[in-house]
Amino acid sequence: MKQVLIYILPILFSASVEAQVQKAVHLSPQKIGGGSLFKKNISFADFQTKKLRRSIGSFFSKRAIIPANLLKIEGVPLYHKEKRTSKDYFHFDLEQDGDFAAYVEVQAIMLQNETFRLFSKKDSSFFGKANTDLLLGSIQPSADTTTWWEIAAWNLNATKQEAQQGIIKQSDKEITFEKNTLLLRENGDQNSIDTLFSTLYMAYQFRYKGETIAAVAYKENDRLCWIKKGLDQSVQTAVAATISILRLRRNIYK
Amino acid sequence: MKRAFYFLLTALVILTSCSTPKLAIPEQFSSVSERMHIKGLNGWMINQKLTFGTYKTSKVKRGWNTKTTRQDKNSDITSEERIMKLFNVTNTNTTSNQKQKYQYSIEDGKQVAEVFCSERMTSEELQVFTNNRWLGDFSQTKNYQYSFTAAILPMSVKEEPWQLVVYNNYDKKKDTARKWFDLPYVEEEGMATNGKDTIQIKPLRVKNITSKDGKERQFPVKILGGYELRLDDGVIGVIDSMGHALWIYKELDEPTKLIVASICSALMLRKIQDVNG
């Protein structure tokens, strides 16, 4: 019965949304170094992160004990409720060409609230609708310590069938980012023929004043980011800090 | 599983018909175009060369066809995964990357172009281990991105380099296929441009094909039969990937014909096939 259900149930849960590949071949690609088990800090273009610290609480999660979860027949659950709180708090310094550029603080929280009932219609909470998946952060640039950039992002752990997106804001400046499939250049070396090649990547696309100004690969394997040349210094720092956040954050859906 | 079915079905139809199927080209286009059969696609692949019509390629230099697979923590959570988690079924998300590069030159006796190509396929799969000998283990594609890109450099002072891109993008969450014979929704597009002119490359998914004896036959599902090349909203060429042929509009100027021949040879020499192709 268990195996039969595994095959049948997924057929009922699917949604259709229109897809669209975006083209951003004007951005110059940059390799991302570090971010490994032995070198946590990352570096890309002129930027590098330093003093990355994560709170101990980020490695644990809190889960509610729900007695009804014991209702099972031959391993098949009749009812299951998952209530769990996970978080990821971290901060780091961002340096540009060896000089301190910004201090970045991030708080990500995931409140999981999923309910499964075998013999009744699956409610929206089972699809992650009732989950709270939020990332909040602040970027304090060294150039102007009085004006901070604020970051808010949601659904970065992709538990909901909604866009994975966020916003970076400083008074009247507003940069948005969203996960998309983008056509991007593979190589930025002007002396190489590869600079004429464009490839599809799943990436977070950064938009400022209606224009794509940067992107960072979504997949861990694709260690690349793309930044438009000649950006305003303040915008460039905010984008570089957010790229670092997106690469350094942990997936906190358990 | 659905794709495996299509593959088997297609193979069965092709095998039972015992003849090479060809794309059915409309009379309006075939009467004003020239058909060139592409030789060199089958057989010994070392020092591979293509010849069609007046065009011939140099030996195709290929790089390594590399494939890497690893688990990826950045993955969308699907309903299937939620269910499997409830039922304690072991599953993992793996992302595989496959790449290949190749280059060659193409000439028609008067003009030459250098062609540099790169193919990349990234696919994310959900692998499920049922621990049941009857059901076995299975995997499901969550998404894939296939891109083919090429740089065509005509060896003439006047000509600008051309960039060619053909891509397929599939995301299971956005798939609209529900019925047994529905094809998965794959976003696909292709184009070649030199900055001034743009040739649109449209994949041709067909049900009707022409068998070797000239009879029209029908497949139960649409399959990739080739590509249509359009310039300024007019068809300038058709690549018949089933019949290994290029149909090229007779009235085209020689430099554009060379670009069309370069696009055709670059597409036909691909090794990493897209899932639908």
Side-chain angles (χ1 to χ4, degrees), chain A residues 163-231:
Chain A
Q164 296 171 50
Q165 56 186 349
I167 188 167
I168 320 161
K169 206 168 163 42
Q170 185 204 57
S171 54
D172 58 332
K173 289 178 186 167
E174 198 175 282
I175 306 165
T176 56
F177 61 92
E178 186 177 351
K179 188 192 140 196
N180 271 323
T181 307
L182 299 170
L183 189 66
L184 292 154
R185 265 164 59 204
E186 263 182 51
N187 195 321
D189 181 4
Q190 293 298 326
N191 299 320
S192 166
I193 194 78
D194 292 5
T195 196
L196 292 169
F197 293 162
S198 310
T199 307
L200 282 191
Y201 285 95
M202 280 177 109
Y204 287 105
Q205 177 185 19
F206 290 77
R207 283 200 192 96
Y208 179 57
K209 291 181 179 171
E211 188 198 0
T212 301
I213 55 162
V216 58
Y218 175 74
K219 293 278 172 196
E220 275 184 298
N221 285 359
D222 301 328
R223 302 169 70 81
L224 283 170
C225 69
W226 296 260
I227 303 175
K228 190 188 164 193
K229 284 180 181 164
L231 277 180

Side-chain angles (χ1 to χ4, degrees), chain A residues 15 21 159 194 219 221, chain B residues 70 82 101 124 135 173 187:
Chain A
V21 167
T159 64
D194 292 5
K219 293 278 172 196
N221 285 359
Chain B
R70 62 177 277 187
R82 280 200 175 88
K101 284 185 179 177
E124 189 183 336
L135 293 173
K173 283 200 294 185
E187 196 183 348

Side-chain angles (χ1 to χ4, degrees), chain A:
Chain A
M1 186 181 176
K2 191 170 156 180
Q3 275 86 5
V4 172
L5 279 167
I6 292 164
Y7 277 93
I8 295 170
L9 288 174
I11 301 164
L12 308 171
F13 312 134
S14 38
S16 65
V17 191
E18 221 165 281
Q20 186 68 53
V21 167
Q22 312 263 336
K23 295 174 186 77
V25 287
H26 62 287
L27 305 177
S28 44
Q30 310 284 344
K31 280 188 180 160
I32 300 176
S36 63
L37 185 67
F38 302 106
K39 195 185 172 206
K40 295 278 180 201
N41 284 294
I42 60 164
S43 59
F44 55 95
D46 307 331
F47 295 94
Q48 55 182 324
T49 64
K50 285 275 168 77
K51 298 178 190 169
L52 170 67
R53 301 283 182 272
R54 193 162 245 130
S55 77
I56 294 171
S58 304
F59 300 95
F60 303 96
S61 64
K62 198 167 70 184
R63 188 183 183 192
I65 298 165
I66 297 160
N69 287 352
L70 298 170
L71 293 171
K72 284 183 184 177
I73 298 173
E74 288 185 22
V76 177
L78 304 176
Y79 174 90
H80 190 92
K81 190 171 186 75
E82 186 76 30
K83 286 199 89 172
R84 192 193 281 265
T85 308
S86 315
K87 59 192 176 187
D88 187 21
Y89 292 1
F90 61 97
H91 59 87
F92 59 88
D93 288 351
L94 182 72
E95 289 186 356
Q96 186 176 14
D97 288 327
D99 297 327
F100 176 71
Y103 173 72
V104 185
E105 229 174 37
V106 183
Q107 296 188 353
I109 190 150
M110 173 87 220
L111 303 174
Q112 215 172 309
N113 184 1
E114 295 170 1
T115 313
F116 172 82
R117 291 177 188 87
L118 186 64
F119 294 115
S120 68
K121 203 179 165 187
K122 309 293 158 291
D123 68 7
S124 60
S125 75
F126 181 69
F127 302 97
K129 275 263 193 237
N131 290 349
T132 305
D133 182 359
L134 206 59
L135 181 141
L136 300 169
S138 67
I139 303 161
Q140 302 163 32
S142 64
D144 182 6
T145 48
T146 55
T147 327
W148 295 3
W149 285 87
E150 302 285 347
I151 303 175
W154 45 96
N155 198 30
L156 294 186
N157 295 294
T159 64
K160 301 183 188 200
Q161 295 211 356
E162 291 171 11
Q164 296 171 50
Q165 56 186 349
I167 188 167
I168 320 161
K169 206 168 163 42
Q170 185 204 57
S171 54
D172 58 332
K173 289 178 186 167
E174 198 175 282
I175 306 165
T176 56
F177 61 92
E178 186 177 351
K179 188 192 140 196
N180 271 323
T181 307
L182 299 170
L183 189 66
L184 292 154
R185 265 164 59 204
E186 263 182 51
N187 195 321
D189 181 4
Q190 293 298 326
N191 299 320
S192 166
I193 194 78
D194 292 5
T195 196
L196 292 169
F197 293 162
S198 310
T199 307
L200 282 191
Y201 285 95
M202 280 177 109
Y204 287 105
Q205 177 185 19
F206 290 77
R207 283 200 192 96
Y208 179 57
K209 291 181 179 171
E211 188 198 0
T212 301
I213 55 162
V216 58
Y218 175 74
K219 293 278 172 196
E220 275 184 298
N221 285 359
D222 301 328
R223 302 169 70 81
L224 283 170
C225 69
W226 296 260
I227 303 175
K228 190 188 164 193
K229 284 180 181 164
L231 277 180
D232 170 64
Q233 183 57 45
S234 160
V235 172
Q236 196 184 30
T237 308
V239 167
T242 313
I243 286 174
S244 307
I245 293 171
L246 293 169
R247 292 299 298 196
L248 293 170
R249 61 171 280 275
R250 292 164 60 240
N251 195 325
I252 49 175
Y253 180 80
K254 311 279 180 190

